[in-house]
């Protein structure tokens, strides 16, 4: 008996934490193995095989048995191809299958085949995801919303609702909805399901983030593809209703600053900032909506508007915030992290005991988005 085992592994990286996510493990047996559990069935052609697999996966069947009619010497490759095509035709199913295995025995022109499948999410759990997603979308998607608004509402709901699973044991959308935490695979699966149900075409991307294996989504809006990483937009440790948009609808070039991928995916070459700018310029009944999105995504800072450029500017803004009882401030900064550290020193003259900051890049401008906290 010849046995071959192949494993695909995806990890997620959030704020320096590496998370392991195991994808399907394939176990294949050669055609000299006797499959004792196989029961006689109607002959199945290679053209029918994928449909049978899709139906079995959709109903979460764990065993599929049938009689294959055709040249058996190429059956192993046909089975491998059919299983992969069936999985890839439904991204949600693809990433909920834990493992698969097949065995067959027969003559040179026919064979009795058994395919065994195991899942990370049961049929009942997927039904729970479907019903929850339907309920949530009714709450967050209002009549007359544009697709742009729908994507933002879904992105924000996921980031606020989920927490990153530090145990690295929760991989599914069901885990995320039921327990409130999951890893990148669960984030991207939930995003896929919610976007799909809202009528937004999207894909799940396998790649690397920050040097670690990772998964996120590609979203199609008005004929253009954009990257969206809800995992990396969720601050860690979790900070309640705080939502980042640093990885919201990015181009390939923007995403490749710290993400990479090898598999072929649709190209994302259109700047979302430019897309919104064009929609605002075009005018129309939704102009205010697009302008609000533009402002919420802090694109004016990328345009160079309202940037803080000196220690005096920072001190003035922090002083104003303190007088209003504030303990935090977010602003766009023109400079490097090194110069920022120097410009923050005069803040201690305001009587502050401690100062901390977080920074992210403002697009490809070279400027920084800074969030200060103090006591």
């Amino acid at each position: 008996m010849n046995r071959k085992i192949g494993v695909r592994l995806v990890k997620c990286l959030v704020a320096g934490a590496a998370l392991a996510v195991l994808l399907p493990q394939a176990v294949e047996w050669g055609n000299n193995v006797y499959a004792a559990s196989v029961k006689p069935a109607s002959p199945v052609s290679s053209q029918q095989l994928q449909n049978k697999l899709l139906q079995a996966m959709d109903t979460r069947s764990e065993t599929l048995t049938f009689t294959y009619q055709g040249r058996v010497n190429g059956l192993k490759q046909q089975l491998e191809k059919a299983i992969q095509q069936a999985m890839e035709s439904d991204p949600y199913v693809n990433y909920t299958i834990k493992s698969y295995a097949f065995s067959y025995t027969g003559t040179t022109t026919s064979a009795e085949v058994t395919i065994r499948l195991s899942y990370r999410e049961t049929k009942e759990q997927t039904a729970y995801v479907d019903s929850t997603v339907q309920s949530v979308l009714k709450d967050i998607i209002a009549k007359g919303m544009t697709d742009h608004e729908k994507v933002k509402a879904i992105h924000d709901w996921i980031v606020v609702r989920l927490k990153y699973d530090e145990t690295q044991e929760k991989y599914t959308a069901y885990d995320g909805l039921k327990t409130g935490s999951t890893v990148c695979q669960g984030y991207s699966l939930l995003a896929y399901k919610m976007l799909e149900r809202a009528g937004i075409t999207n894909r799940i991307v396998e790649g690397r983030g920050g040097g670690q294996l990772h998964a996120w989504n590609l979203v199609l809006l008005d004929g253009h593809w954009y990257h969206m990483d809800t995992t990396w937009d969720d601050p860690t440790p979790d900070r309640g209703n705080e939502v980042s948009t640093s990885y919201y609808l990015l181009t390939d070039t923007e995403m490749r600053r710290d993400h990479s991928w090898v598999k072929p995916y649709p190209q994302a070459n259109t700047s979302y900032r430019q897309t919104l700018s064009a929609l605002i310029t075009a005018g129309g009944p939704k102009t205010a909506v697009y302008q609000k999105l533009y402002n919420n995504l802090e694109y004016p800072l990328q345009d160079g508007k309202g940037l803080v450029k000196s220690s005096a500017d920072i001190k003035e803004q922090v002083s104003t915030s303190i007088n209003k009882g504030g303990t935090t401030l977010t602003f766009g900064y023109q400079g490097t992290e090194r110069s920022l550290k120097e410009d923050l020193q005069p803040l201690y003259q305001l009587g502050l005991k401690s100062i901390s900051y977080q920074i992210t890049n403002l697009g490809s401008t070279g400027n920084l988005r800074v969030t200060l906290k103090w006591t």
Side-chain angles (χ1 to χ4, degrees):
M1 177 172 67
N2 297 321
R3 185 178 180 186
K4 176 183 177 183
I5 300 179
V7 179
R8 292 188 298 158
L9 185 65
V10 168
K11 292 182 180 178
C12 302
L13 181 71
V14 182
L19 309 178
V21 180
L22 188 63
L23 293 182
Q25 178 182 29
V27 183
E28 305 151 11
W29 286 275
N31 61 352
N32 293 323
V33 177
Y34 175 66
S37 64
V38 173
K39 297 179 181 180
S42 301
V44 175
S45 67
S46 58
Q47 290 77 13
Q48 297 171 300
L49 179 54
Q50 187 173 339
N51 289 337
K52 277 187 168 289
L53 284 163
L54 279 171
Q55 183 179 5
M57 292 173 180
D58 186 57
T59 58
R60 301 298 189 268
S61 299
E62 296 183 352
T63 303
L64 176 63
T65 62
F66 57 89
T67 300
Y68 173 81
Q69 194 75 30
R71 295 180 60 185
V72 175
N73 61 353
L75 180 56
K76 179 180 177 181
Q77 290 73 24
Q78 289 187 51
L79 288 171
E80 290 173 342
K81 183 178 180 180
I83 292 171
Q84 288 299 320
Q85 287 180 338
M87 290 167 57
E88 291 172 3
S89 67
D90 187 332
Y92 194 86
V93 168
N94 186 18
Y95 291 94
T96 54
I97 292 178
K98 184 177 182 180
S99 66
Y100 63 84
F102 60 79
S103 61
Y104 57 92
T105 184
T107 67
T108 58
T109 58
S110 67
E112 303 300 318
V113 181
T114 295
I115 299 177
R116 295 184 179 86
L117 301 156
S118 66
Y119 306 88
R120 294 192 178 278
E121 194 173 272
T122 67
K123 181 180 178 180
E124 291 73 23
Q125 289 172 339
T126 300
Y128 174 85
V129 172
D130 288 335
S131 63
T132 303
V133 164
Q134 184 177 0
S135 176
V136 170
L137 290 178
K138 287 182 179 179
D139 289 337
I140 67 174
I141 304 298
K143 185 178 180 181
M145 268 189 172
T146 66
D147 286 349
H148 296 263
E149 293 174 280
K150 293 176 184 178
V151 173
K152 185 63 165 59
I154 290 169
H155 167 276
D156 292 358
W157 189 90
I158 291 172
V159 171
V160 169
R161 175 64 173 77
L162 299 187
K163 294 181 182 179
Y164 175 72
D165 175 32
E166 301 288 349
T167 69
Q168 305 178 23
E169 296 177 350
K170 302 174 184 178
Y171 311 120
T172 67
Y174 174 81
D175 289 327
L177 291 175
K178 192 68 174 179
T179 71
S181 65
T182 185
V183 295
C184 67
Q185 183 166 308
Y187 275 82
S188 56
L189 278 167
L190 182 55
Y192 174 84
K193 180 72 76 172
M194 293 184 72
L195 289 167
E196 181 191 41
R197 290 301 172 89
I200 310 295
T201 299
N202 73 105
R203 301 275 299 274
I204 295 176
V205 181
E206 291 181 31
R208 288 181 175 271
Q212 300 292 324
L213 291 168
H214 188 47
W216 62 95
N217 298 82
L218 267 172
V219 181
L220 183 64
L221 270 175
D222 294 344
H224 301 290
W225 288 94
Y226 304 93
H227 293 270
M228 186 178 80
D229 192 340
T230 50
T231 310
W232 276 38
D233 273 344
D234 195 355
T236 54
D238 190 77
R239 295 196 286 273
N241 293 328
E242 186 173 336
V243 176
S244 170
T245 55
S246 296
Y247 295 90
Y248 183 77
L249 303 188
L250 303 185
T251 64
D252 288 343
T253 299
E254 292 168 332
M255 201 67 173
R256 283 196 173 105
R257 288 196 300 262
D258 43 29
H259 287 59
S260 63
W261 55 96
V262 176
K263 288 186 175 183
Y265 295 104
Q267 293 184 342
N269 297 324
T270 302
S271 164
Y272 190 59
R273 177 162 63 103
Q274 293 177 3
T275 294
L276 284 181
S277 180
L279 289 170
I280 293 167
T281 301
K286 289 291 184 177
T287 301
V289 168
Y290 297 130
Q291 184 65 63
K292 183 178 179 180
L293 270 174
Y294 196 90
N295 294 339
N296 287 344
L297 293 170
E298 299 179 331
Y299 287 153
L301 292 178
Q302 294 189 35
D303 297 334
K305 299 176 181 178
L307 287 175
V308 170
K309 302 178 181 179
S310 68
S311 60
D313 290 339
I314 297 175
K315 188 175 181 180
E316 180 181 354
Q317 290 197 25
V318 171
S319 179
T320 299
S321 180
I322 291 174
N323 290 336
K324 295 179 180 180
T327 59
T328 183
L329 177 68
T330 298
F331 56 88
Y333 177 75
Q334 187 177 60
T336 64
E337 183 176 4
R338 182 175 180 178
S339 64
L340 174 66
K341 290 179 180 179
E342 295 176 355
D343 287 342
L344 292 180
Q345 294 304 312
L347 293 181
Y348 288 105
Q349 298 172 6
L350 299 175
L352 303 180
K353 296 179 180 179
S354 67
I355 302 170
S356 62
Y357 67 86
Q358 294 176 327
I359 59 172
T360 55
N361 292 321
L362 276 174
S364 56
T365 63
N367 300 320
L368 301 175
R369 177 186 187 275
V370 181
T371 298
L372 284 182
K373 294 184 179 181
W374 60 81
T375 58

